[in-house]
Amino acid sequence: MLPFTLVGRLRYILERQLVKGAHYQLMVVAIFIGLISLIGGWLAWPSAAADMPLADSVWWAFLRLTDPGYLGDDEGIWRRIVSTALTVMGYVVFMGTLVAIMTRWLISSMTTLEQGLTPVTIRNHVVILGWTNRTIPLIREILDTSGGIQRLLLAKETKRVRLVILADEVNTERMQELRDEPGIGRHGKHIILRSGTALQPEALHRVACMQAAVVMIPGRSQGGSDLVTGDMETIKALLTLQAHAHLTKQPPPYVVAEVDDVRKVNIMRRAYKGPLEILASDAIVSRLMAQSIIHPGLPEFFGEVMSVHEGNEFYVRSSDGCQGMSLAEVAAACPAAIVCGLMRPDDDEWVSMLNAPSSETVGPGDKLVMLAREYADANPVQKRGDKLRLLERPAISYPSVTAGVNREVRVLILGWNNRLPALIDELASYSPQRFRVQLLSTLDETKQREAMSRYSERTALIGCEHMQGDFMLESLLKPVLTRDWDSILLISSDQLGSGEEADARAMVGYMVVDELLKGLEKKPQLLLELSDPSNEALVARNRGECIISPMILSHLMAQIAQRRELSLVIEELFTAGGPEILYRSQADYPMHSVNNFADLEAVAALQGETAMGVYRHEPDDAGRRLQLNPARDVPLKLKQGDQLVILTTIAAVHG
């Protein structure tokens, strides 16, 4: 080993000081300026006047070092040589080095500020923990001026939405992405980005979670090989929020969290004792898919009532001002809305009473569930003179529409993601309906079966045929399509690197399948699942055959943040048994007296059901078939093949 040299030691000491930051760098430069002035003054001192002290000579050197304007005042060769050397060194050390240090310090400070490391000092704001494929749709929902978040903040006496997002990386590209997004644009000035993850306690403090009106934790898609899943991050964030609330003796904030695996819901409730609503994405999406397989056409219904598109959505409204009235009387006072039922308090829980009898009386504390285009249309106390006819809806519970049906529903699933076992489990709940499922995926057949068996024992009730292969190969896909399928489902895989890649495969696969099925007299239902909201515009005309899960989940999260009871409404509507949305044939009703939607409501009510709209056999110019909550006085002009959208009550329960 070579011995340390003096130059090496000095360089090491200098380097250790320079890396400590701008303050130490300026101190080092000041020392150099002092040394150069001292040496320059000492060298020029012999040529100075006889009575000039050394201190004045050092000051003379310092002036030449810092200001080149003194260079022409000196006389004598030696004095001019020293003065010139000092002036040149002044350009390098004094001006160049100082400007470089100050410039780098300013750039570094601006970069640090742009990274969003400064804790926010606001209250009653909305916090989103994490930047995922759900975040952009969620921001659009929150910034919607007619949305429920606006009303939540008004209740907190906050004048405008202030949105704080915790992202793993904050940069100008991400801010530009927000500004370029339709529906956000100019509202981007109300969005504050902070860097960090939900795994970091200091990051949760950085976004002031304890002072927030609501904290939202969207899920993130992950591959099967991820060791730290989004659910783990969510549980860790809940534990940190609970611990921080305990240490600071503050009430924990209201949290709306998404979990990818419904089996972790109980763990999340143990981790957080504050107000908490949980969206189990695998359960919600699998329920929507199962309903879509059993009742083709429902994806367009989901796309309207569970996304930010123009159209109708469910509202949970206070019943103040209408206690003691019957549901029929409330419905008669709301000509632009459909009264779907009640939410009734039961201790600390809520009881859902959808499709309730029209004679049901609104009690104290009850909330009304309505379908309407605007929040104002769902106002149960409206000062209007035009009253609708009173509906007569008795309490009728129909047997399961699948009861006694011996024919199997044959389903072909192309692709694989982590939600497929939940879908199979959900299909098993629709007993006694029988399903025959074939899975075609690049995932190994053994791993497919293991994932099914690990999820639940109930998946064994569904007959599944597993096949390994790439559905993009027409030579492999064509023989599979020759079977008589009722539904073909193409799903967005979570085994690829990004949602864009997964959706590209799913959409191209959809086109390949549609082309191979061309010419068939009876084509199966094609159902496409996408995971990237930016692909929405590509499937606008086929929205009735597409489920964009991030948009649906984001809409639900934003709505449940405003009305916690809405989660129970969604669970009731999209699970087997109880209240369900069905598309029914006109032959099921006495249609001879039906001219407009008001007539249809009256006919459906007599059979114990709630009419919601019409599903047309032929799409309009925009590719839409669904007409929810149409004007009651406009003729329906029903044609052959048109179906009725009905809210009914099914007696069957989960098997």
Side-chain angles (χ1 to χ4, degrees):
M1 181 176 177
L2 297 175
F4 296 117
T5 63
L6 178 61
V7 175
R9 288 178 180 272
L10 292 176
R11 291 182 61 183
Y12 172 73
I13 294 173
L14 179 62
E15 180 247 348
R16 294 307 301 162
Q17 301 306 313
L18 292 178
V19 298
K20 290 181 179 180
H23 296 84
Y24 286 88
Q25 294 169 0
L26 291 174
M27 183 181 68
V28 171
V29 171
I31 292 174
F32 269 99
I33 291 175
L35 289 175
I36 294 172
S37 300
L38 185 61
I39 295 172
W42 178 73
L43 291 174
W45 188 33
S47 62
D51 57 346
M52 178 181 287
L54 178 60
D56 289 346
S57 184
V58 172
W59 176 249
W60 171 89
F62 177 76
L63 293 177
R64 269 67 183 168
L65 182 67
T66 57
D67 187 357
Y70 288 102
L71 187 62
D73 297 340
D74 299 314
E75 298 178 356
I77 296 177
W78 176 248
R79 201 169 184 83
R80 288 176 176 174
I81 291 174
V82 174
S83 178
T84 301
L86 288 172
T87 301
V88 172
M89 295 182 70
Y91 277 113
V92 176
V93 178
F94 186 77
M95 296 183 63
T97 307
L98 284 181
V99 170
I101 291 174
M102 295 302 295
T103 302
R104 288 189 57 186
W105 173 78
L106 182 59
I107 294 174
S108 177
S109 299
M110 294 297 294
T111 303
T112 302
L113 292 175
E114 289 176 353
Q115 288 176 350
L117 299 176
T118 306
V120 299
T121 57
I122 56 179
R123 292 180 176 274
N124 296 328
H125 54 292
V126 179
V127 174
I128 299 178
L129 298 181
W131 188 282
T132 71
N133 61 348
R134 276 83 150 157
T135 304
I136 292 292
L138 184 56
I139 295 172
R140 290 167 58 189
E141 291 280 354
I142 293 172
L143 295 178
D144 180 18
T145 55
S146 63
I149 292 294
Q150 305 283 344
R151 297 184 292 275
L152 172 67
L153 296 177
L154 286 175
K156 299 279 187 179
E157 298 182 355
T158 300
K159 295 181 179 180
R160 66 174 183 270
V161 174
R162 287 178 294 186
L163 179 59
V164 182
I165 303 173
L166 183 65
D168 54 353
E169 183 180 359
V170 176
N171 49 41
T172 54
E173 289 80 5
R174 187 149 284 177
M175 289 300 300
Q176 188 62 42
E177 181 182 358
L178 290 175
R179 285 190 286 267
D180 293 342
E181 184 67 25
I184 298 178
R186 59 186 179 85
H187 298 292
K189 61 184 179 181
H190 301 308
I191 300 176
I192 304 171
L193 292 180
R194 286 294 177 264
S195 62
T197 69
L199 296 175
Q200 303 166 332
E202 63 275 12
L204 299 181
H205 171 69
R206 195 173 297 147
V207 295
C209 284
M210 303 308 297
Q211 290 75 37
V214 59
V215 176
M216 300 183 181
I217 312 179
R220 66 172 175 87
S221 302
Q222 67 257 346
S225 60
D226 285 356
L227 296 178
V228 180
T229 64
D231 291 352
M232 293 182 184
E233 292 185 5
T234 300
I235 294 172
K236 173 62 166 55
L238 292 175
L239 287 170
T240 304
L241 286 173
Q242 182 65 40
H244 190 62
H246 178 73
L247 290 175
T248 59
K249 301 187 183 305
Q250 299 182 73
Y254 172 37
V255 176
V256 181
E258 179 188 339
V259 60
D260 192 58
D261 188 347
V262 68
R263 296 169 296 180
K264 292 186 174 64
V265 168
N266 291 334
I267 299 176
M268 295 175 66
R269 296 196 185 280
R270 291 182 59 186
Y272 192 71
K273 303 303 181 183
L276 173 66
E277 286 297 328
I278 302 173
L279 276 75
S281 60
D282 62 340
I284 292 173
V285 175
S286 63
R287 288 167 183 169
L288 300 186
M289 289 183 178
Q291 290 268 328
S292 301
I293 291 172
I294 297 172
H295 309 296
L298 275 183
E300 189 168 349
F301 179 87
F302 304 147
E304 179 168 337
V305 303
M306 302 173 70
S307 70
V308 77
H309 296 300
E310 292 184 2
N312 294 268
E313 63 180 270
F314 288 107
Y315 293 100
V316 179
R317 294 289 305 249
S318 170
S319 62
D320 293 343
C322 53
Q323 280 90 8
M325 298 172 58
S326 67
L327 285 181
E329 293 172 329
V330 175
C334 300
I338 298 175
V339 178
C340 301
L342 289 171
M343 299 293 297
R344 181 155 289 168
D346 182 17
D347 294 331
D348 294 334
E349 304 292 334
W350 288 91
V351 177
S352 173
M353 301 176 62
L354 299 179
N355 193 42
S358 58
S359 59
E360 185 70 36
T361 302
V362 179
D366 289 353
K367 296 184 185 297
L368 296 165
V369 181
M370 296 189 177
L371 182 76
R373 290 179 179 82
E374 302 289 342
Y375 184 75
D377 294 337
N379 185 1
V381 184
Q382 300 191 26
K383 307 294 184 182
R384 294 185 180 179
D386 50 336
K387 298 286 186 179
L388 303 176
R389 75 180 77 173
L390 294 178
L391 300 177
E392 298 180 11
R393 183 187 307 108
I396 299 177
S397 182
Y398 289 91
S400 170
V401 293
T402 61
V405 177
N406 294 320
R407 186 182 68 86
E408 289 182 331
V409 177
R410 294 172 292 275
V411 182
L412 173 62
I413 301 178
L414 304 178
W416 177 272
N417 62 28
N418 290 331
R419 285 194 295 271
L420 261 184
L423 172 59
I424 302 302
D425 178 80
E426 184 65 25
L427 291 176
S429 70
Y430 286 86
S431 176
Q433 176 67 63
R434 296 184 297 122
F435 296 89
R436 173 64 59 181
V437 178
Q438 177 169 343
L439 299 174
L440 175 57
S441 166
T442 57
L443 187 67
D444 183 74
E445 296 180 30
T446 303
K447 293 183 178 179
Q448 294 181 31
R449 294 189 178 91
E450 289 177 352
M452 294 291 182
S453 60
R454 282 198 308 266
Y455 189 83
S456 74
E457 296 179 357
R458 196 165 58 176
T459 57
L461 300 176
I462 300 294
C464 286
E465 180 182 345
H466 299 270
M467 183 177 179
Q468 184 177 4
D470 188 356
F471 64 81
M472 298 297 293
L473 301 176
E474 292 190 28
S475 59
L476 177 65
L477 183 60
K478 195 169 184 178
V480 177
L481 294 179
T482 57
R483 302 186 187 181
D484 188 16
W485 301 109
D486 296 296
S487 297
I488 299 177
L489 172 61
L490 294 99
I491 64 173
S492 182
S493 173
D494 53 13
Q495 308 298 311
L496 298 177
S498 66
E500 292 88 347
E501 296 174 1
D503 285 1
R505 281 180 54 86
M507 286 189 290
V508 173
Y510 177 93
M511 299 176 65
V512 171
V513 172
D514 193 44
E515 180 67 24
L516 293 176
L517 294 175
K518 185 181 294 185
L520 291 182
E521 183 177 348
K522 182 182 178 182
K523 296 176 64 175
Q525 173 201 21
L526 287 181
L527 186 60
L528 174 64
E529 182 209 7
L530 298 179
S531 61
D532 185 3
S534 63
N535 291 322
E536 176 195 7
L538 304 180
V539 294
R541 291 189 58 83
N542 296 319
R543 191 170 292 148
E545 300 171 340
C546 179
I547 293 178
I548 306 178
S549 50
M551 295 189 64
I552 291 176
L553 294 169
S554 298
H555 179 79
L556 287 178
M557 180 170 286
Q559 294 302 310
I560 291 172
Q562 191 261 338
R563 285 292 191 190
R564 299 181 61 182
E565 307 85 28
L566 189 60
S567 61
L568 182 58
V569 174
I570 300 301
E571 183 176 355
E572 285 284 321
L573 283 176
F574 304 122
T575 52
E580 285 192 18
I581 301 293
L582 302 179
Y583 288 179
R584 286 197 165 171
S585 170
Q586 301 176 46
D588 295 339
Y589 301 89
M591 301 295 293
H592 57 275
S593 61
V594 173
N595 178 51
N596 51 36
F597 185 63
D599 298 333
L600 178 59
E601 279 190 305
V603 169
L606 289 174
Q607 300 198 32
E609 299 176 329
T610 304
M612 309 286 282
V614 178
Y615 186 73
R616 302 289 183 180
H617 180 66
E618 296 293 335
D620 60 15
D621 295 337
R624 297 180 178 178
R625 300 186 180 189
L626 185 66
Q627 293 180 353
L628 283 181
N629 188 24
R632 286 173 166 82
D633 56 351
V634 176
L636 287 177
K637 297 181 180 180
L638 295 174
K639 299 179 181 179
Q640 185 177 2
D642 291 349
Q643 295 178 293
L644 311 177
V645 185
I646 299 296
L647 170 61
T648 188
T649 303
I650 303 299
V653 296
H654 280 265

